Amino acid sequence: MITAHAPAGYLVGRALSRERAVIVAALLGGIAPDFDLIWFYFVDDRAFHHHRYWVHAPAFWAAAALFVAPVLMFAPRHAQAIAVAFLAAIFVHLCLDSVTGGIMWLWPWSDRLISLIEVPPTRSHFLLSFLTHWTMVFEAAIWVAALVVGWGQWRKKSVRENQL
């Protein structure tokens, strides 16, 4: 997936809560693994696939969740909801990347990138190959779902404000 991480994060946040902080945490979690692109482009000079960085390794996030879990057990429910939304959206990001991008699901035992579908390099740039591949239908569906949910929320808020 290339474009659907933020709307997927929004959907995760909305599924978990109506609270703005939880939705924002899920939005951030939805894009957090791709912060490695800054390092990938500006420091590493694209030396290797950015899905090989630690932020795209499910084992890293599982360890982080296990590390944070005992602390969160004693945290207020609001903080727990924010952490759960953030981590759930990261997991969704990794699952979405597994459709065509490949994720190291078996790391640290294997560094093999696992994906469900291979996108062949049919265009002059990899991005064009992804954008013209049939799997973009999945991304479009996530965008449409997020827009429908967001529109419904906006309409409810608008109706409530007009009734006052």
Side-chain angles (χ1 to χ4, degrees):
M1 295 281 156
I2 293 175
T3 67
H5 294 307
Y10 173 74
L11 290 170
V12 168
R14 291 282 298 145
L16 295 174
S17 175
R18 303 277 187 257
E19 196 174 325
R20 182 177 300 234
V22 173
I23 295 169
V24 169
L27 274 166
L28 288 173
I31 61 172
D34 281 339
F35 289 160
D36 65 2
L37 287 169
I38 297 166
W39 188 267
F40 176 73
Y41 281 108
F42 297 113
V43 177
D44 257 359
D45 194 31
R46 296 175 282 178
F48 51 90
H49 196 296
H50 84 104
H51 285 185
R52 294 194 182 280
Y53 289 115
W54 56 271
V55 290
H56 271 94
F60 167 77
W61 292 109
L66 287 172
F67 181 76
V68 171
V71 174
L72 285 175
M73 287 178 15
F74 301 105
R77 287 215 183 269
H78 177 71
Q80 291 174 349
I82 289 170
V84 166
F86 182 77
L87 292 169
I90 287 172
F91 180 73
V92 168
H93 178 114
L94 298 175
C95 289
L96 291 175
D97 275 351
S98 295
V99 175
T100 58
I103 292 295
M104 296 185 302
W105 285 102
L106 303 176
W107 184 84
W109 299 279
S110 170
D111 64 350
R112 182 172 156 245
L113 293 172
I114 299 170
S115 63
L116 296 174
I117 300 163
E118 177 107 14
V119 177
T122 57
R123 303 285 190 261
S124 60
H125 192 273
F126 84 94
L127 193 54
L128 292 173
S129 294
F130 274 90
L131 293 175
T132 58
H133 194 263
W134 64 268
T135 54
M136 279 302 290
V137 170
F138 297 131
E139 294 207 42
I142 293 168
W143 273 100
V144 167
L147 289 170
V148 166
V149 169
W151 175 258
Q153 179 61 24
W154 179 81
R155 293 270 303 146
K156 285 179 189 175
K157 184 178 179 183
S158 179
V159 168
R160 279 191 308 248
E161 288 173 355
N162 288 334
Q163 290 176 347
L164 295 177

